[in-house]
Every structure is written in C-alpha cells, then in structure tokens.
Amino acid sequence: MFNKFSAIFVLFSICWSYSAGNNYDHYGYDLSTTTERMNSATRCVNVHPQNSVDLKQIMGLWYGSEIIIHSQDIPGVYEYDSCVIIHLTDVTQQVLNSNSYNNNNNNNHGYHRNQNNYGRVSTTPYAHLDRDDYQQQQQLQRQRTKYLRLVWSERDNNLEYTFNYTTDAPGVWSNIGDQRGSLVTLNSYTQFTGTVQVVKAVNDHLVLTFCGNDVKSSIYTVVLTRNRLGLSEDELRSIHSLLNRRGLYVETIRKVCNAAASSTVGGGIFPLSLLLLLLLLLQLLWCRRQ
C-alpha cells in the first residue's frame, strides 16, 4: 500500500512540476536552454513589419491572446491560467524633457547617455557639417525619433520596456536602456536587447514579434486584442498563416487570458489529462496484481 501511494505521489509531483515550471519558462523569463533549442536562422529575421502604423491608435491597454514561440521548442498548444496585459504609452515628450538631448552641455562629437538610461544618440554622422548644418540635422533627427513605453503585466509581476522608433519606420521599435519591474528581480530573467516588429496593427488586435540580438534570446510573437475574451479561431488562423508566410514557424502556441476560464490545474489541460491517465493506468496495474 505504501508503494502504491508513493508512486501516485511521485507521478503527481512530476506533472505538477511540469505545469508550474512552464508558467515561467517562456518568452524571456527563463532562457537558460534557449541556446540549445533555438534555430539561429530564425533569430532577428525581417518579418516585413507593417509600413503604415497609427501609433496613437495602438496606445493603451491590450490583452494577450497567444504567445507563439518561433525558436525550437516542444510543439503543441498549451493553456495558461495567467493573463498577459500590455499597456503602451507614448513617452516622447517625457524622454525629451528628461534629457533635453544634452544640447546645452554636450555640443562635442561622440556619444552621450542620459541620466534615465534611455540610450545614446550618435553625433558622428554629422561630423563633416558646420555648426548650423549640424544643429539643423540634429533637429530633424529629433523630430523623426519618437519613444514609447511597453509595460508587460502578468499575475502580480510587471516588466517595463522603453523603445524608440522613427516616423519613417513606425513598425520597427528598438529597445533602449534596461528593463525595469518586478520580473527583473527573477534570477532567470535576461535583459532584452533587440527589436519589436509590428506585424499587424488593426482596430481590435495587434501582433508584435520580439526579436533579441543576443544569441540567448528567443524570437516570439505576442498576439494581442482589445477584447479580453480573445480572438476568434478564424482570426487566429489568419494570423498564423500570416506568420508562416513571413517565414516564422507556428508550432508552439501558448494561450493566455482566455485559458483562465478553463477549469484546469497548474495552468494547462495537458498536465491534468496526463495525470488522470497515469493514475488510471496505475490503478489498473494495481488491480491486476491483486
């Protein structure tokens, strides 16, 4: 009898660990094994982001529908009991006010970094210009460059990114500075350095592909919607087809937010089903031995 309950306990522990571990072993929280499983050929590919993006329209609150992992991972569709909420805010004026581009104190050529770690601005491309032309070019560059903040919230944790982009290419956001937030304190978190490409931006949903520059970073797509109930299956299939046409594999899909409605244990249907199946098999084997 003791051996029977010991076996059941071990099986339950394995399934529970699989489910609980997967909740944070995705899209940037734990990338310790990403180097071994990722396909470097898909790292930071050009997914042909949307050329025309109304940034004002996409600001505000978005709910996660799917997280699609494009690097090599275990294929399948996984349900999570957590909800990813992303908030986009234009912080252009805030950034400009915080550093004033150091024009008053930094007219020399080279690089300078502002006090809020928003990144650095290169002045070397205009080294051949005289002072007036240089200031004019700098002014034009400032007018073209915009900044936005992306806050990723999940459960009681959050992560804050700062990106810049140009009005010439509003569909490509470059990460500047380090991320902040409670998720940064996790031992497994690796700072993201790379770009976000806006694959699709319409009224009710937004598709963003995160692509890290570091070999330890994975490439993944976040499917967002204004509606907390998520997108329809037809809309999701259309997005999957779009990603496939852009050269991104859609084999590992992690559903969020809408998964909270499913009465599952540990964040996934598969772990619970596996546990019940194993317990049933164990019970049959035990009965045969009697």
Side-chain angles (χ1 to χ4, degrees), residues 174-203:
S174 298
N175 167 244
I176 50 176
D178 294 335
Q179 289 87 69
R180 296 178 290 184
S182 57
L183 282 175
V184 176
T185 61
L186 296 178
N187 293 332
S188 59
Y189 182 78
T190 302
Q191 286 286 337
F192 173 82
T193 56
T195 61
V196 168
Q197 299 182 54
V198 183
V199 181
K200 187 177 182 181
V202 293
N203 290 333

Side-chain angles (χ1 to χ4, degrees), residues 18-73:
Y18 170 84
S19 174
N22 265 328
N23 279 331
Y24 280 101
D25 184 20
H26 61 288
Y27 39 88
Y29 297 163
D30 185 2
L31 301 176
S32 57
T33 60
T34 301
T35 305
E36 291 78 16
R37 69 173 181 252
M38 77 175 294
N39 182 357
S40 60
T42 63
R43 183 164 54 90
C44 279
V45 297
N46 181 5
V47 297
H48 305 289
Q50 190 168 307
N51 293 325
S52 178
V53 180
D54 187 344
L55 272 299
K56 292 183 179 180
Q57 180 182 355
I58 68 173
M59 294 299 156
L61 201 64
W62 294 90
Y63 296 99
S65 183
E66 289 184 345
I67 311 294
I68 304 172
I69 312 300
H70 304 299
S71 53
Q72 294 178 6
D73 209 332

